[in-house]
């Protein structure tokens, strides 16, 4: 008897519908060494090994393993299948083909789950994008998943179909045969800022750097902090995500999808409801940063999507690793091509980088620096001009004196700064609502000419800045975007000379 049901495979961060077909041929295996189950349809090693897990799960659950030769087809046959998420679906298909499960009840059911040798179910990666795909396809009337994946799947399924958590193969069989059960009720978590987390009020002094990061948050701009070790560059960067506006539901689901395919969502927290902050070590590879591998997987820049990517000790990263950032910083996506296929991952993040002014880190003779001018030049030469062009704000984080450190007044809290950032973002959303963008950093040339119009005196300032700082056309457009964000923070629709002058001041740091 032929049995059919649905499952899914994950390629990149996208899920694709897979139909599991099981047909017991009735013929005996050729020899004792031959498997009684043949899985076809481009399965990888993990999928092929499922027949051994299923055989043990059948025995542990008091089901009779299939006799003779059984063919399992994963259709479409030309799409690669990988992972252990097919275990439970194949097992139910075999039981449907042998009559232990009513096969008609399987025809519109989707199943995800790995089986343990004792018949228990184990969580799998990608339940959220898989459930979202099933909801879009409209061919599924119910979804069975391991208990640990139930909440994330239910979030994506919404009211399209019920999601049933199952703890074991036996429980899944009983649920299908009964035709009813208790579905998981998804609770949509709202965005929240971590309690007792880092706060800008803990930063002593450094008002110029604090102001620059506020502008970065208001417009979604990339920033670079330079200064000697111990001046608070990392401390400042770690607090950037605390002043970003709350994530929308769409942003939370999009970010959660990336974390789901990497198995990073927990049972108790199935939705990423705080802006990501990623800080990879400088020894990371280019594949680790942008994604890759034989079967492409998202990298750190995708994990930082809708959040902050912090690169400390920027010149210590390999040059080829830094150069791969150039395209994602412009487009907000990254495309990884391998022999196995090509995948596109979202990667719209705020880059916050930090570096020391020289190899020894001190930067100034008064602080004990003995680096020669040539040593400093070689150190900073590791950063290419095209990469620096994509960084909108450059600010020096200076060494505080003892009096400044001990007597500096308490600065504004993240909550206070965040309110100004939210007000600036709301102005941008209202201004760009018909253009499909939400921040100044996303402005293209035509929109810059429309919404970033300086006064005549401002145009003179800009011409002088381009000439004196030798700005490229890209750097000029980014200067205009920063001016627009400064004006939005001030609540001004017109960009004034003061806004332009402040934006120019963040381009003057000499890094070449």
């Amino acid at each position: 008897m032929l049995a059919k049901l649905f499952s899914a495979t994950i390629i990149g961060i996208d899920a694709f519908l897979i139909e599991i077909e099981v047909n017991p041929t009735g013929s005996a295996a050729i020899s004792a060494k031959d498997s009684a189950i043949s899985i076809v349809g481009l399965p990888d090693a993990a999928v092929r090994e499922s027949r051994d897990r299923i055989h043990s799960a059948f025995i542990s659950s008091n089901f009779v393993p299939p006799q003779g030769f059984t063919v399992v087809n994963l259709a479409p046959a030309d799409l690669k299948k990988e992972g252990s998420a097919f275990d439970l679906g194949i097992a139910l298909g075999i039981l449907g083909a042998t009559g232990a499960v009513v096969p008609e009840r399987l025809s519109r059911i989707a199943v995800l789950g790995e089986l343990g040798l004792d018949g228990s179910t184990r969580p799998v990666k990608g339940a959220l994008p898989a459930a979202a795909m099933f909801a879009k396809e409209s061919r599924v009337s119910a979804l069975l998943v391991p208990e640990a994946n139930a909440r994330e799947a239910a979030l994506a399924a919404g009211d399209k179909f019920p999601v049933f958590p199952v703890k074991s193969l036996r429980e899944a069989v009983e649920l299908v045969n009964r035709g009813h059960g208790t579905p998981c009720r998804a609770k949509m978590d709202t965005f929240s800022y971590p309690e007792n987390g880092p706060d800008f009020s803990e930063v002593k002094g450094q008002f110029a750097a604090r102001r620059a990061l506020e502008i970065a948050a208001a417009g979604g701009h990339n920033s670079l902090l330079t200064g000697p070790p111990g001046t608070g560059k990392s401390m400042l960067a770690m607090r950037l995500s605390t002043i970003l506006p709350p994530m929308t539901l769409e942003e939370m689901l999009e970010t959660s999808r990336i974390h789901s395919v990497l198995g990073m969502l927990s049972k108790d927290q199935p939705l990423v409801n705080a802006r990501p902050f990623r800080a990879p070590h400088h020894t990371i590879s280019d594949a680790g940063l942008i994604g890759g591998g034989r079967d492409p997987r998202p990298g750190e820049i995708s994990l930082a999507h809708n959040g902050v990517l912090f690169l400390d000790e920027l010149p210590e990263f390999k040059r080829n690793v830094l150069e791969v950032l150039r395209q994602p910083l412009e487009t907000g996506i990254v495309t990884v091509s391998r022999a196995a296929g090509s995948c596109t991952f979202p990667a719209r993040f705020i880059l916050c980088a930090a570096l020391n002014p020289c190899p020894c880190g001190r930067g100034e003779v008064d602080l004990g620096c003995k680096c020669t001018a040539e040593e400093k030049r070689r150190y900073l030469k590791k950063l290419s001009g095209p990469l620096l062009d994509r960084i909108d704000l450059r600010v020096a984080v200076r060494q505080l004196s003892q009096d400044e450190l001990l007597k500096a007044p308490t600065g504004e809290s993240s909550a206070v700064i965040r309110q100004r950032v939210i007000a600036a973002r709301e102005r941008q959303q209202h201004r760009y609502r018909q253009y499909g963008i939400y921040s100044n950093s996303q402005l293209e040339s035509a929109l810059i000419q429309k919404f970033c119009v300086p006064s005549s005196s401002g145009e003179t300032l800009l011409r002088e800045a381009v000439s004196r700082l030798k700005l490229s056309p890209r750097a000029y457009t980014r200067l205009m975007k920063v001016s627009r964000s400064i004006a939005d923070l001030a609540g001004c629709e017109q960009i004034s000379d003061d806004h332009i002058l402040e934006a120019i001041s963040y381009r003057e740091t000499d890094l070449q």
Side-chain angles (χ1 to χ4, degrees), residues 130-409:
M133 179 272 298
F134 291 137
K136 185 177 181 181
E137 288 285 341
S138 301
R139 297 172 62 183
V140 171
S141 61
L143 173 62
L144 275 60
V145 296
E147 187 178 32
N149 294 123
R151 287 188 63 193
E152 62 176 295
L155 284 172
D159 58 357
K160 297 289 186 179
F161 52 80
V163 174
F164 296 99
V166 291
K167 298 179 181 179
S168 65
L169 175 60
R170 170 63 67 178
E171 184 177 331
V173 170
E174 293 175 354
L175 191 150
V176 174
N177 283 335
R178 287 200 312 267
H180 60 85
T182 304
C184 176
R185 301 297 182 186
K187 178 184 178 182
M188 185 63 70
D189 295 325
T190 56
F191 181 86
S192 64
Y193 293 95
E195 295 183 5
N196 303 318
D199 194 278
F200 265 100
S201 62
E202 301 162 346
V203 179
K204 293 286 188 178
Q206 305 300 359
F207 297 108
R210 291 163 62 103
R211 170 64 175 172
L213 292 184
E214 180 179 341
I215 296 169
H221 303 291
N222 304 317
S223 58
L224 177 64
L225 307 175
T226 65
T231 53
K233 300 188 297 296
S234 299
M235 186 178 187
L236 285 160
M238 291 176 63
R239 284 151 180 77
L240 176 56
S241 60
T242 68
I243 61 173
L244 292 174
M247 295 174 76
T248 64
L249 175 59
E250 181 182 358
E251 287 177 323
M252 287 191 287
L253 289 172
E254 190 174 34
T255 306
S256 299
R257 183 172 63 149
I258 300 168
H259 286 68
S260 176
V261 299
L262 295 175
M264 298 176 65
L265 293 181
S266 68
K267 174 183 175 181
D268 299 325
Q269 187 63 47
L271 192 68
V272 177
N273 65 339
R275 291 201 178 268
F277 178 86
R278 304 294 299 183
H281 193 260
H282 63 258
T283 57
I284 193 172
S285 66
D286 53 355
L289 187 64
I290 70 166
R294 187 188 65 180
D295 299 307
R297 288 288 184 268
E300 287 290 334
I301 64 173
S302 294
L303 287 170
H305 183 59
N306 291 321
V308 176
L309 177 70
F310 176 48
L311 301 183
D312 199 7
E313 306 293 348
L314 191 64
E316 299 301 329
F317 285 80
K318 296 176 183 177
R319 181 160 181 146
N320 69 298
V321 173
L322 293 178
E323 292 305 300
V324 298
L325 283 173
R326 285 157 57 171
Q327 181 251 348
L329 286 173
E330 285 290 328
T331 63
I333 59 174
V334 58
T335 300
V336 179
S337 297
R338 295 292 185 268
S342 177
C343 295
T344 298
F345 306 125
R348 188 168 297 283
F349 55 89
I350 295 178
L351 172 65
C352 184
L355 59 82
N356 297 324
C358 63
C360 77
R362 296 178 178 88
E364 300 178 13
V365 175
D366 294 345
L367 298 176
C369 176
K370 297 181 180 180
C371 298
T372 65
E374 179 62 20
E375 287 174 332
K376 292 180 180 180
R377 189 192 68 80
R378 284 200 305 268
Y379 180 70
L380 297 176
K381 200 66 177 177
K382 296 179 181 180
L383 307 176
S384 70
L387 177 63
L388 292 176
D389 260 358
R390 290 166 167 82
I391 296 178
D392 308 336
L393 301 155
R394 305 173 190 174
V395 60
V397 183
R398 64 185 184 86
Q399 186 81 45
L400 297 179
S401 66
Q402 186 176 15
D403 285 344
E404 288 177 313
L405 189 60
L406 296 177
K407 298 179 182 179

